[in-house]
Amino acid sequence: MTPPSERGTDPALRGHADRVEQNIDDADVTGLRVSDPATHAAGLPGVGHAMQIALTQMGPVRTGRTLLRINQTHGFDCPGCAWPEARHRGPVEFCENGAKAVAEEATRRRVTPEFFARHSIAELATWDDYALGQQGRLVHPMVLEEGEEHYRPISWGRALDLIAEELRGLDSPDEAIFYTSGRTSNEAAFAYQLLVRGFGTNNLPDCSNMCHESSGAALTDTIGIGKGSVHLSDIAEADLILIAGQNPGTNHPRMLIALEAAKKAGASIVAINPLREAGLLHFDNPQEPAGLVGRGTDLADDYLQIRLGGDQALFQALGALLLRAHAERTARGEPGVLDEEFLATRTEGFEEYAGHLAALDWGEVATATGLERAQIEALADRLIASRATIVCWAMGLTQHKHAVRTLKDIVNVLLLQGNIGRRGAGVCPVRGHSNVQGDRTMGIFERMPGRFHDALDAEFAFTSPRLFGFDTVAAIEAMRDGRAHVFLGLGGNFLRATPDSAVTEDALRNTRLSVQISTKLNRSHVVTGRRALILPTLGRTERDERGTGPQRVSVEDSMSAVHASTGRLEPASRYLRSEVAIVCGLARRLLTDDGGAPLRGAPHVDWDAWAEDYRLIRASIERVVPGFDDYESRLDQPGGFVLPHPPRDTRTFATPTGRALLTVNPLEYPEVPDGALLLQTIRTHDQFNTTIYGPDDRYRGIRGGRRVVLVNPADLAERGMSDGELVDLVGVHPDGRERRAEAFRAVAYDTPRGCAASYFPETNVLVPLDSYADVSRTPTSKSVVIRLEPARTAS
Ligand SMILES: Nc1nc2c(c(=O)[nH]1)N[C@H]1C(S)=C(S)[C@@H](COP(=O)(O)OP(=O)(O)OC[C@H]3O[C@@H](n4cnc5c(=O)[nH]c(N)nc54)[C@H](O)[C@@H]3O)O[C@H]1N2
Ligand SMILES: Nc1nc2c(c(=O)[nH]1)N[C@H]1C(S)=C(S)[C@@H](COP(=O)(O)OP(=O)(O)OC[C@H]3O[C@@H](n4cnc5c(=O)[nH]c(N)nc54)[C@H](O)[C@@H]3O)O[C@H]1N2
Ligand SMILES: [Mo]
């Protein structure tokens, strides 16, 4: 309940602010402390930090009760990342950052109707992301009527009626947008997409559009399925693991446990990353006594500090070196390095690919990667020596203009050696949100394939719309241009997660109604349409009691394992409703008559029954989505079940020709005008996307503030700037529009020349809306072209 001006009185908020563009608070940049980056991850400091946050938010009893249920067989799925749980679980199955994610949700702080009576929307709009999030859990449905300055309480019935009225008032269902963030359960996601398609549109943008969309696009085109091909057990069986564009020490800490096991079993690990991330260097496993005292495991055997966006060039170079080695060895009568049998029987496109790489320009490889040829050759030697290779990646590869072709070139290299559908080998896109992959499986996608629509239509006796809907970028454009008038967000923080913050703010303000189904307050609640609703919902950790008793939900992790999640905590308020109940309540009003019979053309569903018994939803999922046979009983198995994945299971490929595809991808890398820098926008160790836990980025040696920009010392010197200087980040984009993020501390940092780094969401103001990846349309959050200017508002 503390506005920024009173932060000094609240120990939880003191000094933790970061600046919202419109409201920059000096305390931030002046409280900043910079030290050398860490060279290892976790251990005691990690446990201590998580405990401190957990105790502040939850108190001691709740902390103990809650943390021990994370990822347990009869507990709830961690609302943190999508890294899978091991089959045999220890008593403690969470990590430092999972504990923080849980503490954020299980906090005892509350945002009450009185809070909204006290703070006007104009006032809240000046608070930063941290201050908003720290207020605690939303506890009552709230409405902001046109022209009013405060949200007021509203009943659930009135709130849902209001949404139904606005939706019915549209000229076309395509004027509404239904966003999803990746925490939504399978059951809620399935009901939601049916509501949306029953209403008549495929406007289902989701956080995946900004995240792993490039992975899905590249993998679907080449191996016929948009998901990773490895099991957790494969990690320990790999000879070689490449980790490109991913910072697991912060974003997937439990992955370090798997990497540690792989190392102990003899695997080599090579990190490909512009920054030397602590979590990739060394791991002190806090779940083992040796790790707690800081004798852990060295992880990366080699570290390629590549330039931003240089990965396609690197993988083309690796492909070329494999081809050359193969030719040389076979000419000498020695065994080759390619899997010729696999290439001949399971793939196509080899000749064209090899022909394309024969013309590879090594000068371009050097420019694009900034790496020495010897480093690349050493990695090629590791590939040649490896019998089973896995490539893991995350946002460092997906959020570039040429992301999809980069990933296709990774698939090419793996296919050359038959590294798909073999133990210890494969593609491993490491997903972000805990159920983002499951949401997609359930149909949260603006372009689902025809067979999904056919199955949906058959199950619910209606005709779902086939016209593709808006993805995230198209949704913003439509609101901006007055082609969409209602926005509904099932979780997430659309405004802060999306690019071009100023444009997106205007776009949301341009709507007639914006609705957020949320657990916590965020900026998407205070930058609204003409009318706005906040619908508070249960989180993963909470008991979900419905008419037929306590309910469980299910989720799918990054490796296609589906399992149950059952919350046990007392809900934050008795006015909360589950996401399933909210979605079904809206569908009942929008798609049925008073007696519950479907309106003409609407799906045949007993929405009231669905809301009371989620087993009924799972029964429908079982009939619509392949791989969910015996859904209910297989959820009872400890660890759940794994969805089919033809390339992984049987080396079969659902491509048009039934073979995996080697592809020819013209080489691309970011172009940076003279004097400009390429900026990547990343996460600190103390945030979950737009939720800010605190002001520190411990592993990178940054404490007490988030407004920093990490720059190569030579790039600073070249600009006559010094370490610690206050600078503005100014966007450079052909449209000439002013995009400025003000007052960042320049920090001299070990990053390749020309490649800077800063944190999102503060830098989303700099990402142009029309700058996105080819094919996947993912905003280019890892290659934003900027200039540094001395700060306009020096402090
Ligand atoms: N604690 C915590 N956990 C999270 C999240 C969180 O915010 N906090 N977010 C979740 C979500 S939704 C996601 S998608 C994941 C994100 O997980 P990550 O992808 O690990 O997250 P980022 O912070 O974006 O880090 C990107 C990494 O890629 C590197 N990189 C950037 N550009 C390039 C490039 O061009 N080439 C190469 N080779 N490397 C590059 C960066 O230096 C950085 O190490 O984490 C999930 N887990
Ligand atoms: N510049 C830049 N921008 C990025 C990225 C980047 O690397 N750089 N990363 C992108 C990526 S990978 C992603 S995934 C997106 C994330 O985009 P989003 O998923 O939209 O954002 P989050 O910050 O994860 O959403 C946080 C909000 O979700 C709500 N919430 C939390 N738990 C629940 C729940 O159980 N149910 C409901 N209904 N609501 C809940 C809370 O109100 C909280 O405020 O951001 C993207 N934006
Ligand atoms: Mo993500």
Side-chain angles (χ1 to χ4, degrees):
M1 336 284 139
T2 315
S5 53
E6 293 163 24
R7 252 185 235 128
T9 60
D10 182 343
L13 297 183
R14 198 179 315 145
H16 283 185
D18 69 29
R19 303 170 169 210
V20 173
E21 283 69 48
Q22 302 83 332
N23 176 40
I24 298 176
D25 171 346
D26 284 344
D28 290 330
V29 248
T30 47
L32 189 80
R33 298 183 308 286
V34 178
S35 57
D36 286 342
T39 52
H40 58 107
L44 263 186
V47 176
H49 185 55
M51 280 302 169
Q52 190 191 325
I53 290 192
L55 290 169
T56 319
Q57 298 275 357
M58 301 191 283
V61 177
R62 205 169 164 86
T63 295
R65 270 214 310 251
T66 310
L67 295 187
L68 291 176
R69 288 220 178 91
I70 301 181
N71 294 337
Q72 294 299 319
T73 305
H74 298 291
F76 59 89
D77 182 61
C78 179
C81 73
W83 186 258
E85 288 81 40
R87 286 226 151 232
H88 303 288
R89 299 177 190 191
V92 187
E93 275 291 338
F94 64 92
C95 66
E96 174 190 352
N97 278 346
K100 291 186 209 162
V102 167
E104 277 287 316
E105 181 176 302
T107 179
R108 290 183 302 190
R109 300 180 187 160
R110 298 288 178 265
V111 176
T112 58
E114 297 73 57
F115 169 89
F116 288 107
R118 234 178 1 253
H119 303 290
S120 73
I121 206 73
E123 184 202 337
L124 293 174
T126 66
W127 293 20
D128 62 38
D129 300 303
Y130 178 76
L132 291 169
Q134 287 300 305
Q135 303 311 315
R137 288 289 298 276
L138 296 158
V139 295
H140 200 282
M142 305 296 297
V143 63
L144 182 68
E145 287 291 358
E146 184 175 4
E148 294 201 346
E149 284 169 16
H150 291 261
Y151 272 102
R152 283 187 289 111
I154 184 173
S155 71
W156 276 105
R158 274 291 304 136
L160 296 176
D161 283 342
L162 191 157
I163 303 171
E165 261 162 45
E166 288 275 7
L167 287 172
R168 273 196 290 266
L170 296 173
D171 288 338
S172 147
D174 294 325
E175 292 177 356
I177 288 162
F178 299 89
Y179 177 70
T180 314
S181 163
R183 272 193 195 176
T184 295
S185 65
N186 284 352
E187 291 76 2
F190 188 77
Y192 185 57
Q193 63 82 31
L194 184 62
L195 156 72
V196 172
R197 296 194 163 105
F199 177 58
T201 181
N202 284 306
N203 284 346
L204 283 159
D206 69 346
C207 68
S208 207
N209 297 149
M210 297 173 268
C211 185
H212 268 292
E213 198 70 66
S214 307
S215 310
L219 294 176
T220 303
D221 272 5
T222 52
I223 63 167
I225 178 169
K227 300 181 181 183
S229 75
V230 302
H231 291 293
L232 187 54
S233 59
D234 286 310
I235 304 274
E237 294 181 40
D239 273 350
L240 176 63
I241 302 169
L242 308 188
I243 303 171
Q246 193 200 345
N247 178 22
T250 286
N251 298 311
H252 306 93
R254 284 177 302 115
M255 179 174 171
L256 301 189
I257 299 171
L259 293 177
E260 181 183 43
K263 277 300 284 216
K264 289 188 169 154
S268 309
I269 295 177
V270 176
I272 302 165
N273 198 310
L275 307 179
R276 287 180 66 81
E277 305 285 25
L280 291 167
L281 297 171
H282 184 91
F283 178 47
D284 297 331
N285 188 347
Q287 298 181 5
E288 283 178 15
L292 272 182
V293 297
R295 266 178 292 134
T297 311
D298 282 331
L299 292 180
D301 296 273
D302 205 355
Y303 211 110
L304 272 53
Q305 260 187 291
I306 194 165
R307 286 206 174 121
L308 289 171
D311 305 84
Q312 194 198 359
L314 172 65
F315 279 88
Q316 289 204 351
L318 293 170
L321 292 170
L322 288 181
L323 290 167
R324 196 187 68 188
H326 184 75
E328 286 171 3
R329 291 185 189 198
T330 49
R332 292 198 299 264
E334 294 167 15
V337 307
L338 306 183
D339 187 337
E340 288 179 294
E341 135 110 57
F342 178 77
L343 286 170
T345 59
R346 304 288 173 147
T347 74
E348 64 177 325
F350 175 78
E351 295 301 333
E352 295 83 349
Y353 172 69
H356 176 63
L357 288 196
L360 183 67
D361 177 343
W362 281 89
E364 279 208 298
V365 171
T367 311
T369 63
L371 300 171
E372 302 287 336
R373 172 110 177 217
Q375 281 179 288
I376 300 177
E377 284 177 348
L379 180 52
D381 289 341
R382 287 185 191 277
L383 280 166
I384 290 168
S386 164
R387 286 168 298 111
T389 302
I390 292 175
V391 182
C392 304
W393 71 83
M395 296 305 101
L397 297 195
T398 62
Q399 298 176 332
H400 289 288
K401 175 168 180 298
H402 59 311
V404 175
R405 57 176 73 184
T406 299
L407 296 171
K408 285 183 166 184
D409 269 319
I410 290 181
V411 172
N412 284 335
V413 169
L414 288 170
L415 289 176
L416 283 181
Q417 296 187 287
N419 276 314
I420 303 269
R422 172 194 286 166
R423 292 188 74 99
V427 282
C428 184
V430 184
R431 307 273 162 181
H433 266 302
S434 50
N435 197 37
V436 62
Q437 186 160 317
D439 290 346
R440 197 42 81 78
T441 307
M442 292 299 115
I444 303 294
F445 192 22
E446 70 282 355
R447 308 174 257 149
M448 280 307 274
R451 58 181 186 278
F452 177 86
H453 283 278
D454 296 342
L456 203 63
D457 293 359
E459 171 71 8
F460 300 108
F462 83 122
T463 307
S464 56
R466 297 304 202 270
L467 186 72
F468 288 168
F470 297 144
D471 59 15
T472 293
V473 168
I476 297 168
E477 290 168 345
M479 290 187 282
R480 177 196 65 192
D481 301 341
R483 288 179 285 116
H485 307 294
V486 174
F487 175 93
L488 192 146
L490 183 56
N493 182 359
F494 187 82
L495 174 62
R496 293 298 275 166
T498 52
D500 236 343
S501 310
V503 175
T504 305
E505 293 208 357
D506 288 346
L508 275 174
R509 288 206 164 97
N510 215 10
T511 59
R512 292 178 200 153
L513 173 70
S514 58
V515 183
Q516 304 288 343
I517 300 171
S518 314
T519 53
K520 302 282 296 274
L521 191 63
N522 66 46
R523 198 163 163 78
S524 296
H525 302 110
V526 299
V527 175
T528 69
R530 203 159 68 196
R531 302 164 96 185
L533 284 167
I534 296 175
L535 304 181
T537 190
L538 292 174
R540 283 272 171 80
T541 53
E542 288 163 319
R543 208 169 50 237
D544 185 357
E545 193 82 46
R546 302 297 307 167
T548 58
Q551 304 293 314
R552 59 179 176 178
V553 293
S554 51
V555 294
E556 174 184 342
D557 66 32
S558 210
M559 295 181 180
S560 307
V562 178
H563 61 88
S565 174
T566 313
R568 307 273 172 184
L569 288 180
E570 181 73 24
S573 141
R574 61 197 174 93
Y575 301 109
L576 300 187
R577 287 208 181 160
S578 71
E579 292 183 346
V580 172
I582 296 169
V583 167
C584 292
L586 178 57
R588 174 77 164 80
R589 282 167 170 78
L590 192 62
L591 304 179
T592 69
D593 65 19
D594 290 343
L599 296 178
R600 207 155 66 86
H604 289 242
V605 188
D606 185 343
W607 297 100
D608 290 336
W610 272 23
E612 302 311 332
D613 186 353
Y614 302 175
R615 285 174 303 189
L616 300 173
I617 307 178
R618 286 191 286 271
S620 277
I621 294 173
E622 184 172 332
R623 290 187 291 265
V624 171
V625 188
F628 283 85
D629 317 272
D630 300 325
Y631 197 176
E632 202 63 45
S633 58
R634 286 199 294 161
L635 276 187
D636 292 334
Q637 301 167 10
F641 59 98
V642 178
L643 291 174
H645 188 288
R648 179 196 64 203
D649 303 336
T650 55
R651 289 192 145 184
T652 50
F653 302 93
T655 57
T657 58
R659 286 160 174 253
L661 219 64
L662 287 113
T663 49
V664 169
N665 309 292
L667 179 59
E668 194 174 326
Y669 51 93
E671 252 177 65
V672 187
D674 276 351
L677 293 173
L678 209 54
L679 177 78
Q680 61 156 323
T681 60
I682 48 178
R683 296 154 171 79
T684 69
H685 195 62
D686 264 1
Q687 73 183 80
F688 193 95
N689 299 338
T690 70
T691 298
I692 312 301
Y693 304 138
D696 299 339
D697 193 10
R698 192 174 80 235
Y699 291 155
R700 299 198 185 98
I702 311 289
R703 286 181 177 77
R706 296 175 44 87
R707 288 185 92 83
V708 296
V709 57
L710 314 180
V711 188
N712 182 295
D715 286 323
L716 282 179
E718 194 178 86
R719 286 164 181 74
M721 293 176 160
S722 48
D723 181 44
E725 187 167 333
L726 209 54
V727 297
D728 287 353
L729 316 184
V730 183
V732 177
H733 190 63
D735 69 6
R737 192 192 158 105
E738 160 105 349
R739 294 184 179 82
R740 181 182 291 266
E742 291 185 336
F744 283 64
R745 216 32 104 179
V747 174
Y749 201 86
D750 182 7
T751 173
R753 280 301 299 270
C755 301
S758 188
Y759 306 132
F760 93 101
E762 291 83 349
T763 46
N764 258 336
V765 66
L766 299 168
V767 184
L769 185 60
D770 65 358
S771 175
Y772 45 73
D774 300 330
V775 186
S776 66
R777 293 168 47 93
T778 295
T780 57
S781 310
K782 297 293 189 276
S783 41
V784 188
V785 183
I786 59 156
R787 274 182 293 112
L788 297 184
E789 285 184 7
R792 225 159 42 175
T793 51
S795 77

